């Protein structure tokens, strides 16, 4: 007996896959949308265990507000893929440039692994957008917690999203746990976008709209309390649905039934 766990890779209708699903004791998916799709496809209940955030990502108790800087920082930490991230990164970079022309000063810092030659030839990196390589977990958490805005830039191309749209990236949980405002650039078809809209977390821009991105960055610049309010909601929802300890406990309980 075994348990089927569906992560980023989509399960197919191949006979051996269908057979394995049918004879599994339990089936697990990492998003509500993935669970619904597979339940309809295979006629089996899929339990939802999302990728959660550990306690280290939450802000320390009584963490003071950081003084406002002359330039506000947007950060992305994670693997950079050309097919998944580059279009939205270009969109964000252009919005930052327009904001700068209006005396609204943002910069974007990218951290993580990437195809370096491909990234440097992409046109994404500018005086306002920098790539800073890989960082360790402790430094990465500090970078998240000291940013003014975090971003998750996903593609809007529906064909590209065929196998990815049901995924639930761990970075979304970790970003929410920090209590920082989040800008999610994503097709409305993704599980990330649907989760954020369902629970009123992050700022979701679900069409590649340059004016919408500029408007949001402008609003945050002039009214920082908008980001603080969003951050409070982000933490609240993360503790309810994405807390690693709670997810681990529920997963252990399920294993015990086997």
């Amino acid at each position: 007996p075994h348990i089927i766990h569906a992560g980023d890779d989509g399960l197919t209708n191949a006979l051996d896959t269908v057979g394995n699903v049918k004879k599994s004791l339990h089936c697990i998916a990492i998003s509500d949308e993935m669970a619904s799709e597979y339940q309809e496809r295979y006629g089996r209940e899929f339990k939802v265990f999302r990728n959660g955030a550990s306690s280290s990502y939450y802000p320390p108790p009584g963490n003071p507000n950081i003084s406002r800087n002359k330039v506000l920082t947007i950060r992305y930490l994670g693997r950079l893929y050309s097919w998944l991230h580059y279009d939205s990164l270009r969109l964000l970079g252009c919005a930052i440039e327009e904001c700068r022309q209006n005396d609204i000063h943002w910069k974007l810092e990218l951290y993580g692994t990437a195809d370096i030659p491909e990234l440097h030839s992409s046109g994404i990196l500018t005086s306002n957008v920098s790539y800073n390589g890989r960082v360790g977990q402790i430094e990465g958490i500090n970078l998240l917690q000291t940013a003014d805005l975090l971003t998750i830039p996903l593609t809007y191309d529906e064909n590209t999203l065929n196998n990815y749209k049901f995924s639930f990236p761990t970075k979304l949980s970790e970003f929410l746990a920090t209590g920082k405002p989040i800008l999610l650039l994503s097709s409305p078809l993704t599980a990330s976008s649907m989760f954020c809209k369902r629970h009123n977390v992050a700022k979701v821009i679900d069409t590649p709209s340059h004016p919408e991105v500029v408007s949001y960055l402008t609003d945050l610049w002039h009214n920082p309390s908008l980001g603080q309010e969003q951050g409070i909601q982000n933490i609240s929802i993360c503790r309810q649905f994405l807390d690693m300890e709670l997810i681990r406990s529920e997963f252990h309980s399920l294993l015990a039934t086997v």
Side-chain angles (χ1 to χ4, degrees):
H2 55 269
I3 294 174
I4 288 286
H5 173 238
D8 285 351
D9 295 328
L11 296 181
T12 69
N13 282 317
L15 290 178
D16 57 345
T17 301
V18 174
N20 283 332
V21 171
K22 295 291 186 183
K23 65 186 180 184
S24 295
L25 292 179
H26 295 289
C27 297
I28 296 170
I30 61 171
S31 72
D32 298 272
E33 289 68 33
M34 182 184 287
S36 178
E37 166 70 18
Y38 290 161
Q39 182 169 331
E40 181 177 348
R41 186 185 302 176
Y42 302 113
R44 282 290 309 272
E45 178 188 4
F46 275 72
K47 301 178 185 296
V48 178
F49 284 87
R50 302 177 188 87
N51 292 318
S54 68
S55 58
S56 57
Y57 285 87
Y58 293 103
N63 190 33
N65 290 328
I66 299 173
S67 299
R68 184 179 175 92
N69 297 314
K70 293 181 179 180
V71 178
L72 299 185
T73 303
I74 307 169
R75 289 189 176 129
Y76 169 82
L77 276 75
R79 182 74 170 91
L80 285 165
Y81 294 103
S82 58
W83 60 272
L84 182 60
H85 302 114
Y86 280 18
D87 287 346
S88 286
L89 286 175
R90 290 189 187 95
L91 176 68
L92 182 53
C94 290
I96 290 172
E97 178 60 33
E98 181 171 329
C99 285
R100 290 243 176 182
Q101 293 172 8
N102 295 320
D103 205 28
I104 296 171
H105 300 283
W106 290 93
K107 64 178 179 178
L108 172 61
E109 296 178 354
L110 308 173
Y111 296 85
T113 55
D115 183 316
I116 306 301
E118 184 180 52
L119 178 61
H120 280 281
S121 65
S122 67
I124 290 170
L125 303 181
T126 66
S127 59
N128 302 321
V129 181
S130 63
Y131 171 67
N132 302 279
R134 299 178 63 178
V135 294
Q137 185 182 33
I138 294 176
E139 183 182 355
I141 292 173
N142 181 66
L143 287 167
L144 294 177
Q145 293 177 341
T146 56
D148 297 293
L149 174 65
L150 302 175
T151 187
I152 300 178
L154 303 178
T155 182
Y156 290 96
D157 183 75
E158 294 184 7
N159 291 327
T160 302
L161 287 172
N162 278 339
N163 290 328
Y164 183 83
K165 62 185 177 181
F166 298 127
S167 182
F168 194 93
T170 306
K171 66 176 65 65
L172 175 55
S173 301
E174 294 170 346
F175 286 15
L176 289 168
T178 66
K180 292 294 180 177
I182 299 168
L183 174 59
L184 175 61
L185 302 171
S186 169
S187 161
L189 299 177
T190 64
S192 298
S193 177
M194 293 182 187
F195 180 90
C196 290
K197 290 180 179 180
R198 187 180 303 126
H199 297 289
N200 192 30
V201 293
K203 169 64 176 180
V204 180
I205 296 181
D206 60 12
T207 58
S209 170
H210 176 83
E212 280 194 64
V213 180
V214 171
S215 176
Y216 179 64
L217 295 181
T218 300
D219 289 345
L220 272 188
W221 174 269
H222 290 300
N223 189 2
S225 64
L226 292 176
Q228 295 168 358
E229 292 168 3
Q230 189 202 118
I232 292 171
Q233 175 71 357
N234 290 351
I235 289 178
S236 175
I237 293 301
C238 190
R239 289 195 184 279
Q240 289 181 59
F241 298 101
L242 304 170
D243 187 87
M244 179 69 78
E245 294 305 316
L246 178 61
I247 294 170
R248 182 180 288 117
S249 176
E250 292 176 350
F251 181 60
H252 286 175
S253 297
L254 180 131
L255 290 180
T257 67
V258 180

